[in-house]
Amino acid sequence: MTTNTSSIQAVIFDWAGTIVDFGSFAPTSIFVEAFKQGFDFDITMDEAREPMGLGKWDHIQAVGRIPAVDKRWNEKFGRSMSSDDIDAIYSAFMPLQKAKVADHAAPILNSIEVVESLKAKGIKIGSCSGYPRQVMDVLIPVAADYGYKPDYIVATDDLPQGGRPAPFMALKNVIELSVTNVGACVKVDDSTPGIEEGHNAGMWTVGLLLSGNEAGLTYDEYLAATPEVLEAAREKAHAKMIKSAPHYLIDTIADLPEVISDIERRISAGERP
């Protein structure tokens, strides 16, 4: 075991839009498809992205509560979406997601190198996801083939208490990684529920602007973007992410090492999240 040379004990990462799947397209596109398959009902990609970070059943429920979606649903079915409707869409979502998630398992930028540099300092790597366990069981080995091997993984349905924005998944990482101080942990995420999860767990929080759900750029779009396009995407994501008041906002995980150094400095100076 590597001796910890940092004042940080653990960094807990989200998955899609943070470590893998630039733009968080695996869940988003499948939500659109699941609504279509389950009820021949159309939602937009922006509507599918709106509640990202929640567990997937809760996400479907939240999409159904978007006023424009609820209006169209009432026009088509004469009522608002019910729990049975959500169950049916979730049932359509699951096999689609399991079939597609491996196609979106490529690491974002230099995420593997960043993670390995943290491990080299003795920092433990936790992770949690809005994906349920049966989807994670498909994603985990594919991500491992790319080189991503966190020390612990929690899926959104692993715990009876539920998922984000509650702190339970983050705190399960704390317990399993034998972390002694939540104030020595960092939560990194591309969604507001994931940042709120970190706050609720008493951790430092880092939000990602350009690689995740809120900017909604593909990797190719990101590479080809002009400074003006990137700034527009950054501002769009910032407007959403700032509502959860992360301690830091950065473009992608490539910018994380500087933030880690600053958090180490602040912890060493006696600061808490």
Side-chain angles (χ1 to χ4, degrees), residues 215-235:
L217 298 172
T218 67
Y219 183 52
D220 287 342
E221 287 170 341
Y222 169 75
L223 291 178
T226 63
E228 292 77 17
V229 168
L230 281 185
E231 185 56 30
R234 191 179 289 115
E235 289 180 5

Side-chain angles (χ1 to χ4, degrees), residues 71-140:
K71 181 175 184 290
R72 298 200 306 274
W73 192 275
N74 271 276
E75 287 170 353
K76 183 161 186 170
F77 300 110
R79 55 177 174 77
S80 292
M81 189 184 294
S82 69
S83 291
D84 288 342
D85 298 332
I86 299 168
D87 287 342
I89 296 168
Y90 187 80
S91 295
F93 170 87
M94 287 304 299
L96 291 169
Q97 189 68 89
K98 288 166 69 176
K100 298 287 181 64
V101 71
D103 295 338
H104 297 268
I108 290 172
L109 299 170
N110 60 334
S111 58
I112 306 302
E113 291 81 0
V114 170
V115 167
E116 290 304 311
S117 72
L118 296 173
K119 286 184 176 182
K121 298 171 74 168
I123 297 172
K124 295 172 181 176
I125 306 300
S127 72
C128 47
S129 176
Y131 284 137
R133 175 55 60 176
Q134 57 181 297
V135 174
M136 290 305 297
D137 285 344
V138 177
L139 177 58
I140 289 165

Side-chain angles (χ1 to χ4, degrees), residues 183-195:
C185 294
V186 183
K187 178 68 202 303
V188 184
D189 209 295
D190 69 306
S191 73
T192 54
I195 295 298

Side-chain angles (χ1 to χ4, degrees), residues 20-262:
V20 302
D21 186 10
F22 198 105
S24 197
F25 278 91
T28 313
S29 59
I30 300 303
F31 279 121
V32 173
E33 198 170 338
F35 271 81
K36 186 71 173 176
Q37 186 179 109
F39 285 90
D40 193 27
F41 185 84
D42 294 322
I43 62 171
T44 67
M45 287 286 277
D46 283 345
E47 289 167 342
R49 288 188 181 281
E50 179 65 29
M52 194 64 74
L54 298 176
K56 301 315 175 194
W57 195 96
D58 292 333
H59 185 126
I60 294 165
Q61 181 184 57
V63 170
R65 290 176 173 172
I66 296 172
V69 175
D70 182 54
K71 181 175 184 290
R72 298 200 306 274
W73 192 275
N74 271 276
E75 287 170 353
K76 183 161 186 170
F77 300 110
R79 55 177 174 77
S80 292
M81 189 184 294
S82 69
S83 291
D84 288 342
D85 298 332
I86 299 168
D87 287 342
I89 296 168
Y90 187 80
S91 295
F93 170 87
M94 287 304 299
L96 291 169
Q97 189 68 89
K98 288 166 69 176
K100 298 287 181 64
V101 71
D103 295 338
H104 297 268
I108 290 172
L109 299 170
N110 60 334
S111 58
I112 306 302
E113 291 81 0
V114 170
V115 167
E116 290 304 311
S117 72
L118 296 173
K119 286 184 176 182
K121 298 171 74 168
I123 297 172
K124 295 172 181 176
I125 306 300
S127 72
C128 47
S129 176
Y131 284 137
R133 175 55 60 176
Q134 57 181 297
V135 174
M136 290 305 297
D137 285 344
V138 177
L139 177 58
I140 289 165
V142 182
D145 286 343
Y146 280 110
Y148 182 52
K149 300 175 182 178
D151 297 312
Y152 195 72
I153 299 164
V154 186
T156 195
D157 58 348
D158 282 351
L159 304 175
Q161 297 91 344
R164 301 162 181 157
F168 305 115
M169 291 197 294
L171 294 178
K172 178 66 170 174
N173 275 278
V174 167
I175 293 167
E176 298 299 331
L177 295 173
S178 299
V179 169
T180 60
N181 182 359
V182 292
C185 294
V186 183
K187 178 68 202 303
V188 184
D189 209 295
D190 69 306
S191 73
T192 54
I195 295 298
E196 290 165 358
E197 170 193 30
H199 284 312
N200 290 333
M203 300 176 178
W204 300 91
T205 55
V206 183
L208 304 179
L209 294 173
L210 292 184
S211 66
N213 177 67
E214 301 308 336
L217 298 172
T218 67
Y219 183 52
D220 287 342
E221 287 170 341
Y222 169 75
L223 291 178
T226 63
E228 292 77 17
V229 168
L230 281 185
E231 185 56 30
R234 191 179 289 115
E235 289 180 5
K236 175 188 172 188
H238 186 277
K240 181 75 177 285
M241 294 294 291
I242 199 65
K243 294 175 183 177
S244 58
H247 293 95
Y248 299 86
L249 278 170
I250 57 177
D251 284 351
T252 72
I253 195 170
D255 304 313
L256 187 62
E258 290 181 17
V259 168
I260 292 296
S261 295
D262 196 56

